[in-house]
Amino acid sequence: MAHDPSAPSPIATGLKGRCPRCGKGHVFKGFLTVQPKCEVCGLDLAFTDTGDGPAFFVMSFVGIVVVALALWAEFTYEPPIWLHLVLWTALSIGLSLLMVRPLKGVLMNLQYHHKAEEGRFEK
């Protein structure tokens, strides 16, 4: 059940780090720190709790890509081990830093869009 059909796309606004309601305000005040509220529409962003979701997706994607490239490089060129260490460590750190903020923004916006909240047992 979607929140509002006229709301901006949660994927597009999340990738840009924008507010899930208005699509204009910023949701981050640092690299990964979430602002208390949107500076444009005043949406309280305290509901956002992505937990380890962004880290899981980043680790999964980066792990698959780096291992595949490392295996390809090993079987094709047989580089020395120190080159593997430097190259794949740098690529892992770089890709992780590049991907974690947009993924956190997307997960936050999807939470808002789908009205996700903590599960409860009905009494």
Side-chain angles (χ1 to χ4, degrees):
M1 175 189 271
H3 177 67
D4 179 10
S6 66
S9 163
I11 305 295
T13 54
L15 289 173
K16 296 175 188 173
R18 302 293 180 161
C19 174
R21 182 163 60 188
C22 68
K24 295 181 175 93
H26 295 87
V27 292
F28 297 111
K29 67 177 174 183
F31 185 64
L32 289 176
T33 307
V34 179
Q35 294 203 54
K37 65 179 186 170
C38 173
E39 71 259 5
V40 176
C41 69
L43 174 67
D44 183 15
L45 296 170
F47 71 89
T48 61
D49 182 20
T50 58
D52 292 335
F56 170 77
F57 290 114
V58 167
M59 287 186 307
S60 298
F61 178 77
V62 170
I64 290 169
V65 168
V66 169
V67 168
L69 288 173
L71 288 171
W72 173 78
E74 177 61 31
F75 291 124
T76 305
Y77 300 108
E78 297 180 13
I81 193 71
W82 66 266
L83 186 58
H84 275 297
L85 182 66
V86 170
L87 186 61
W88 307 122
T89 300
L91 184 63
S92 295
I93 292 170
L95 281 176
S96 296
L97 291 173
L98 187 69
M99 292 179 62
V100 73
R101 184 177 169 147
L103 274 174
K104 184 170 183 169
V106 167
L107 289 176
M108 288 170 47
N109 285 1
L110 286 171
Q111 262 184 321
Y112 176 80
H113 183 74
H114 294 289
K115 298 181 186 176
E117 58 184 33
E118 189 174 330
R120 296 185 184 99
F121 291 111
E122 291 188 34
K123 293 184 179 183

